Amino acid sequence: SLDDTERVNASRTEWARVFRIRLREGAAPEPAPDRVWFSSAERRGRLRLVGSSDGRGGSLLIRPGVRIYSSLLDPGQHVVSVLGAGRCAWIHVVRGSVDVLGRVLEASDSAGIEGCLSFGVTARLGSEVLLFDLPAQPDGAADP
């Protein structure tokens, strides 16, 4: 589940949005106390790994087999996600509007993606997206 939670922001001029993410699998694990911040520059125009099972690239340590990416896209900008065999994705639009596989997603929309090895995300407006790269579920459900 995604919880958009207000927190104290160190900046007096910029808005901050903090997400608390819980990935379901059997019994709920204890929440990790870790917090990691990534600059806009690190996420602009690309899929920046922000969560992984091995902490690669300074990402937050999360459940094995799951990778979480964040991206900030200017209008018309395009990023491509490459999924391996046996993988699916869940995309959440934090703000803006994007086109994913011919479907328009607006702020707060989410969509599951399965059955393709890669797909593109194109911003229709200035946008922010979270992409969850997940192991495919045995029943075909792509829901974190």
Side-chain angles (χ1 to χ4, degrees):
S1 63
L2 285 176
D3 294 325
D4 189 6
T5 307
E6 288 186 47
R7 300 281 186 200
V8 175
N9 182 3
S11 173
R12 295 183 192 274
T13 59
E14 299 292 324
W15 284 93
R17 183 168 291 196
V18 177
F19 285 89
R20 183 178 16 201
I21 301 166
R22 181 178 302 147
L23 299 168
R24 297 185 302 240
E25 183 178 296
E30 289 297 313
D34 299 334
R35 290 185 182 154
V36 179
W37 287 266
F38 299 93
S39 70
S40 295
E42 291 178 275
R43 300 179 297 130
R44 182 140 333 266
R46 68 186 200 107
L47 290 168
R48 169 52 158 109
L49 184 66
V50 297
S52 67
S53 60
D54 59 5
R56 173 181 33 197
S59 62
L60 181 66
L61 289 170
I62 59 172
R63 180 183 310 272
V66 175
R67 292 182 292 271
I68 302 173
Y69 298 87
S70 175
S71 185
L72 296 172
L73 300 170
D74 293 326
Q77 240 176 346
H78 182 78
V79 291
V80 175
S81 175
V82 178
L83 301 173
R87 310 277 306 166
C88 61
W90 188 262
I91 188 164
H92 176 79
V93 181
V94 177
R95 64 179 175 83
S97 176
V98 299
D99 183 296
V100 180
L101 296 172
R103 182 173 172 196
V104 175
L105 301 176
E106 305 286 343
S108 298
D109 287 346
S110 296
I113 299 164
E114 60 184 346
C116 59
L117 294 178
S118 67
F119 64 94
V121 178
T122 304
R124 296 165 53 88
L125 304 170
S127 300
E128 181 175 2
V129 297
L130 291 174
L131 174 72
F132 300 81
D133 180 336
L134 308 159
Q137 300 294 318
D139 63 1
D143 183 2

